[in-house]
Amino acid sequence: MRSLTPVAAGLSLCALALPVSIAATNAALALLSVALLVRARSERRLILASWRSEPALSALLLYMGVGLAAALLASPAASLRDAAKDLHHFWSLALFTAALALEPQTPLRPVLGVSFGAMALFAIAQCAFGGKPDGLMLRAHGFVHPVVFGEQMAVATLGGACVLLRPTLQASRSAASLFTALTFTALALSQTRMALLSVLAGFAIVALLEPRARRWALPALLTVAAVGVAWEFIPNGGRTLRALLTPYNPGNPHQARWALWNTALNMFQDHPLFGVGPGGYHRLFAYYHPGKLDGESSWGSAHNLYLHQLAERGACGAIALLVLYATLLARAMRAARRDVDTRALWATGTIAALLVMSLTETAFQNEQFSTLILLVWAWGTISLRPRRENL
């Protein structure tokens, strides 16, 4: 077995750390940065070519630029701190793009499998042995918020399903079956509703690209529906799909998102072009919504990324976000059509799932989760990268 180069080792460490800890992930990203700087002495042309040929980096630069403009036009001292988070996205994507151009054979699948599988097992144990605080079933969460954990497990489940569609060996089929069952169970136990629905969206676009997936469409739908029905009866404090469909009641804490969305729209109406600045939703929430909402007087998220961007970055920011999402999806679909393999299918399904998750959460603004998304996407679009022999 060929030993890992420093760049491949850095990529593998990122994959190992991402489902667990943002601090460990940032340390791995720093190591990967150093490895790439050293490698640039001999492979500068390939690194630069990988960056020049990747339109997603340009789309991310546009998103960053709008965020910077919104910060400067709002409250620079406070907003620039939040706008700086965009730099983390760009740093991560630039590293992954260059590293995978240099080391396309990095064995990320087993590393991600081990990390995701371990976190799924840990979270299942959390629910099994964590008791029932206040009489409610404990939400699986690993070491992060239950919503972020559910979104991680949705991505992992899609990955397992894609491996099952194209297993290379009987052993990989058995391992992928176990992995998919574990991560889907952890997702269900996280009680994250939109993450569950995002799996359907991701699998639907995979089925468009891979005929083998189509015969599994009905079983996937029935499985998701079964989880939704189970949530109606388990003691989860009202975190059910039914709670989203009942008539609006301002006193119902499970319908707080309606008020959060309305607050975001009011901010956008007052600041339509560049919004109230990154982080402005949290700073101005009490002004736009006096009084408490679900026991809280200040909220930092509109729980809808599209509306959140309208509030904080205005129409310009929302357009920049849509350009970025469209670029990621188009590139992933192009890679999948060029070479229908597990990685490309997973990348496409993951971006489709992200589009759905963003309807009720601001997932892309969580550095740990967004970095995971960018790694899966960069790995899945390897076929679009320039090759050493073509330079």
Side-chain angles (χ1 to χ4, degrees), residues 55-56 58-60 62-63 89 93 151 205 304-309 317-333 347-348 350-366 369-370 373-374 377:
S58 299
L60 195 47
L62 172 65
Y63 181 72
H89 295 140
L93 183 56
E151 291 165 346
I205 200 166
N304 178 307
L305 184 62
Y306 309 108
L307 295 179
H308 193 91
Q309 294 304 303
I319 291 171
L321 175 68
L322 292 177
V323 168
L324 175 59
Y325 274 11
T327 302
L328 293 173
L329 183 61
R331 293 283 283 172
M333 292 185 70
T348 307
T350 293
I351 298 303
L354 176 64
L355 295 175
V356 173
M357 293 174 190
S358 298
L359 291 171
T360 59
E361 296 297 336
T362 54
F364 193 69
Q365 291 193 306
N366 179 285
F369 183 68
S370 59
I373 291 284
L374 294 174
W377 179 86

Side-chain angles (χ1 to χ4, degrees), residues 82-219:
D82 283 87
K85 293 179 181 179
D86 297 339
L87 187 60
H88 192 281
H89 295 140
F90 188 80
W91 176 43
S92 301
L93 183 56
L95 291 179
F96 297 151
T97 300
L100 286 164
L102 293 172
E103 299 291 346
Q105 301 304 319
T106 303
L108 293 183
R109 181 188 297 178
V111 177
L112 285 168
V114 167
S115 189
F116 273 130
M119 291 309 302
L121 278 171
F122 177 72
I124 292 171
Q126 279 181 324
C127 291
F129 305 109
K132 290 187 177 181
D134 300 323
L136 302 179
M137 183 176 178
L138 186 70
R139 296 180 68 184
H141 59 276
F143 298 111
V144 294
H145 189 279
V147 171
V148 176
F149 180 78
E151 291 165 346
Q152 289 179 340
M153 291 298 108
V155 171
T157 298
L158 284 170
C162 290
V163 173
L164 278 173
L165 294 175
R166 288 179 169 267
T168 54
L169 301 169
Q170 184 60 37
S172 67
R173 180 185 294 275
S174 300
S177 298
L178 176 60
F179 175 84
T180 306
L182 279 175
T183 55
F184 185 77
T185 300
L187 164 60
L189 292 174
S190 77
Q191 303 172 38
T192 309
R193 293 168 292 198
M194 197 54 73
L196 179 69
L197 296 178
S198 75
V199 171
L200 272 184
F203 194 77
I205 200 166
V206 167
L208 289 176
L209 298 167
E210 171 54 271
R212 302 181 194 184
R214 293 168 193 169
R215 66 190 179 101
W216 295 104
L218 182 58

Side-chain angles (χ1 to χ4, degrees), residues 244-306:
L244 298 176
L245 304 177
T246 55
Y248 176 64
N249 175 6
N252 183 350
H254 302 289
Q255 293 181 325
R257 281 185 175 87
W258 298 112
L260 297 174
W261 296 350
N262 185 63
T263 300
L265 288 172
N266 288 337
M267 290 182 183
F268 167 64
Q269 288 173 358
D270 288 346
H271 306 271
L273 197 57
F274 283 100
V276 297
Y281 188 89
H282 180 263
R283 293 194 306 273
L284 298 176
F285 183 84
Y287 173 78
Y288 280 90
H289 191 283
K292 291 188 176 182
L293 178 64
D294 192 15
E296 300 289 337
S297 58
S298 181
W299 288 72
S301 167
H303 283 266
N304 178 307
L305 184 62
Y306 309 108

Side-chain angles (χ1 to χ4, degrees), residues 59-78:
L60 195 47
L61 274 175
L62 172 65
Y63 181 72
M64 287 175 58
V66 173
L68 179 61
L72 293 174
L73 292 170
S75 176

